[in-house]
Structure formats: C-alpha cells, structure tokens
Amino acid sequence: MKNLLMISASLILAAANSALAHDRPHDDEGAATEIHLLSNVRYLSAESAWPSALPVLAASQEDLRGMRYGGSGLAWQQRWLQDLSSHVVLAYDDHEQGMAVDHAAFFYHAGATQWTLGRQSPLLASGGLSAWALPELWLNTVLGDDHWHEDGLALRYATGAVTGHAGVFRGAGLPGTESALWSTGLEWQDGPWHISGHAAYVAEVKRSLASDAHTGHSHAGQVTGCAQLIDCFAGDTLLMRANARWQGDQFWLHGAASWQKQDGQLESTLAKVNYQGELTGFALEGGVSINTELSLALRHEQMAIHHQLSGVNAAQIASKNGIANSDEWPRQTGVRLAWQAHTAHLLALELYQTHINGESNRMAMLQWQMNDRLY
C-alpha cells in the first residue's frame, strides 16, 4: 500500500505540472499529421497472484502484480489523401519486455464504407469492459493477454443507425491459431443506446498444454511432440460477444456476454480423446459522472467453465491437464474512481474482491493514462 501511495502522489504531481505546461489548444487541429505520446502505467497490489490458476486448457500463469507499462509509446496518425489515412502505434509490450508495433494500418473511406488493412484490434476485443485498468477476466483467460491485435483486412459499412463489420485476419493474436481468423458483426446505435454483437471463427487451432509464464504469447512455431512428449489440443474455436450500453447525461449502464467454444481432440501421452469446452463470461457495469472531472463505476464479472471429454482414459487426461473440475464459477467485483486531471491525463484507482477456486483475493490497481499531442 505504501507503493500505491507514493506512485499516486507522483502521478498527481506529474499530471498537475503537465496541465500547467500544456493547457492551451493546438493551432493546427485537423492537420494532416499528428504525433501523440502515450502512457498506460499501472500498478497492481494483491494478496495473492492475479489471475489465479483456472481449470482452463493452457491458461496463462503469468502474475500481473507489480508495474505494467503495456500500451505506452508513440502514435502517428497521417492523412495522405482526403479518403486515405494511416495509424501507427509503437508501444511497450509487457510480455516481450520491449517496444513492439502494436498497430500499423491504412484506412480507406468510400462513402459509407471503410476498409482497414494492417495490424489492428478486432472489434470482438472491444465488447467488454475495456475502460478498466485491470484486464477483463474472460478476454485475459482466452488470450493470456490484456490486449488483442491482428494482421488482416476489415470492412465497415454504415447505413442509418446500423453498422456492419467483416474481417479476415492472420490469427496470430489467438494462441495456437494455424489458419485464418474470420470475423463478422453488427452494431446499432440510437440516442443513448448502443447494442452490438460480434463473432469470430478459426478452423485450425493447435495448442501445447504444457504451461509456461508466457502461454498467451507463445504463437510462433509449430507444436511438436504431441501425444509423445506433451499433451496438445487440436480443433476449431468459435468466439462470440454481445454487449448493450445505455449512456445518460450523468449515469450509464453496460452489460456484456462472451462465449468461447472449442471442439476437437486432446492428443495426450495417455490416449487421444474427443474434447468440447465452453468458456462463458458475463459482465455488468454501472457508473456515474460526479462532475466534469470525476467518475465512479462499479463492475461485476463472472465466468462459467465447462469441459466434456470422451474416450479411453478421459478422466485421467482431464486431471492431468487441470480441467477435471468443470463446475468452477470464477467471479470478481470492483469499483473504479477516475479523475480526468487534464484533457491529456487520467488517473484512476480500482479496488477488487475476487473469488476463484474457492479462494478470495483483495486487490488494488492504480493507473495513469496519458495521450498528449506532440505535433
């Protein structure tokens, strides 16, 4: 807690000093070139590791306590022509412990149609409670990461209150993907209401079930030794997300539902068995804007985990890979106090109570976000 207080005081002073130094509008708003300095500094303090071990195939075991800098870097936006622009983000990656190209895409507008080509975040990733500093429980479990980017082509078409989406991606952001990731979705927005639904499908997924500290980012290279040295999952994956949001003048409500289905085989050193698994997530958020600078939000998440194995030694294989318990309902509740200290700076404090595998965990996360235009 002493670390949290020290960091909080430092960030408040930094925000105040920057507000005094940058509290003036840019003279060239809407210019063809923009360069932004980004920061997303977070510190997580908890009684025990987060995320806790879950009965999920090849779940990431990385402990997110301590300092995180992921997403901090530089963003360059360029308008090349009236209808052609680009967006590049060079940011720190916590897993790789170095700078990486987080986004690099071209955007082409043609009337109601927009094409996006390059590295981008699939819209499926934005269906949860993305405004919070602590990663969403369902998405972090699926990806083993707190962000998702893909290389590919996306199409957006808007007509009236409805917007349609479609895309095809390389699939490197989803662990073990060995074929293209196809996505589609619809959005409807009218007044204070915003409702959306998105789905993604991968025909070929192959994942080693030997866990390590970076399971979520072990995408490169072919899995070898399946059924001889290690256990592996081979099959397909279907992902679906739906969310509804109501935004009033002062209050808001946001509900989200997420679902992953994996269907295939577990190639074990004991035997090869048929496997079907489902990971369902529910999230609800309510918030209030106290004034133009302060906001308070309450969040609750819960997941349902289900595994079904059939074949010789199915029970032993399930136990070996930590998925024998299919009745686990992990849940966590949090509260977030956010202060928009300056147009470019946001400070937030989040407090959580989690209940996973029959054990409770109290956590506190401090966040400093900055998006300051340099040019």
Side-chain angles (χ1 to χ4, degrees):
M1 187 58 68
K2 181 184 294 185
N3 289 335
L4 279 174
L5 293 175
M6 292 177 62
I7 295 172
S8 179
S10 300
L11 296 182
I12 290 173
L13 289 173
N17 291 334
S18 182
L20 292 174
H22 295 86
D23 194 15
R24 64 179 187 272
H26 289 280
D27 296 329
D28 57 345
E29 292 294 340
T33 303
E34 290 188 21
I35 298 177
H36 292 249
L37 179 64
L38 309 175
S39 74
N40 186 20
V41 181
R42 292 145 292 160
Y43 181 84
L44 177 63
S45 175
E47 295 176 338
S48 57
W50 193 97
S52 302
L54 290 170
V56 177
L57 287 180
S60 174
Q61 300 299 311
E62 184 174 4
D63 187 356
L64 299 186
R65 287 180 295 178
M67 296 296 295
R68 314 289 291 181
Y69 306 94
S72 302
L74 288 172
W76 169 38
Q77 301 176 47
Q78 181 71 41
R79 187 175 70 249
W80 302 98
L81 300 170
Q82 183 65 31
D83 298 320
L84 180 65
S85 60
S86 64
H87 185 205
V88 178
V89 178
L90 180 65
Y92 186 82
D93 188 298
D94 287 313
H95 297 274
E96 304 298 334
Q97 297 184 354
M99 302 300 288
V101 179
D102 193 72
H103 284 72
F106 283 95
F107 303 87
Y108 176 71
H109 299 265
T113 304
Q114 175 183 289
W115 296 90
T116 305
L117 176 64
R119 180 162 297 181
Q120 56 196 284
S121 293
L123 286 174
L124 188 84
S126 62
L129 308 181
S130 57
W132 293 67
L134 189 73
E136 180 191 348
L137 188 58
W138 181 88
L139 187 63
N140 190 82
T141 304
V142 169
L143 295 181
D145 198 359
D146 59 359
H147 72 288
W148 189 0
H149 56 239
E150 294 282 1
D151 298 329
L153 177 66
L155 168 65
R156 175 183 181 271
Y157 181 79
T159 173
V162 178
T163 303
H165 300 271
V168 57
F169 304 96
R170 188 163 65 93
L174 190 67
T177 299
E178 296 191 340
S179 65
L181 182 148
W182 299 85
S183 69
T184 185
L186 283 174
E187 293 183 74
W188 175 80
Q189 185 165 2
D190 186 26
W193 287 98
H194 180 270
I195 299 174
S196 67
H198 294 90
Y201 176 74
V202 181
E204 297 179 45
V205 175
K206 194 162 191 176
R207 300 183 63 183
S208 165
L209 304 186
S211 62
D212 56 47
H214 297 275
T215 303
H217 267 233
S218 298
H219 310 317
Q222 191 79 10
V223 176
T224 59
C226 291
Q228 298 175 345
L229 301 174
I230 57 175
D231 291 5
C232 298
F233 164 76
D236 57 38
T237 296
L238 176 64
L239 302 165
M240 299 183 71
R241 307 195 83 183
N243 81 93
R245 183 181 179 92
W246 174 82
Q247 178 70 60
D249 294 334
Q250 186 177 4
F251 301 93
W252 72 86
L253 288 173
H254 185 190
S258 309
W259 181 65
Q260 179 196 49
K261 181 181 179 182
Q262 297 186 102
D263 199 346
Q265 291 184 324
L266 286 187
E267 304 176 61
S268 173
T269 56
L270 299 176
K272 182 182 290 188
V273 298
N274 295 322
Y275 171 80
Q276 187 176 97
E278 295 184 9
L279 181 65
T280 307
F282 304 96
L284 184 64
E285 173 188 346
V288 55
S289 297
I290 301 172
N291 55 40
T292 56
E293 297 179 347
L294 289 173
S295 64
L296 183 67
L298 181 66
R299 154 190 181 181
H300 179 75
E301 293 181 82
Q302 188 157 318
M303 289 200 308
I305 301 171
H306 179 72
H307 307 283
Q308 184 176 341
L309 290 78
S310 60
V312 178
N313 294 329
Q316 292 93 321
I317 294 172
S319 178
K320 177 183 178 183
N321 290 289
I323 58 173
N325 178 15
S326 292
D327 300 319
E328 176 65 20
W329 286 75
R331 60 187 184 273
Q332 63 184 25
T333 302
V335 60
R336 172 181 170 92
L337 179 64
W339 174 35
Q340 192 73 51
H342 177 258
T343 53
H345 298 264
L346 182 140
L347 299 174
L349 175 64
E350 299 178 1
L351 303 175
Y352 289 90
Q353 175 76 50
T354 72
H355 188 83
I356 299 176
N357 295 328
E359 297 182 357
S360 296
N361 190 11
R362 292 185 178 90
M363 306 185 299
M365 176 169 268
L366 186 67
Q367 179 186 38
W368 171 42
Q369 278 188 319
M370 178 183 65
N371 186 339
D372 195 7
R373 184 175 172 185
L374 301 179
Y375 180 83

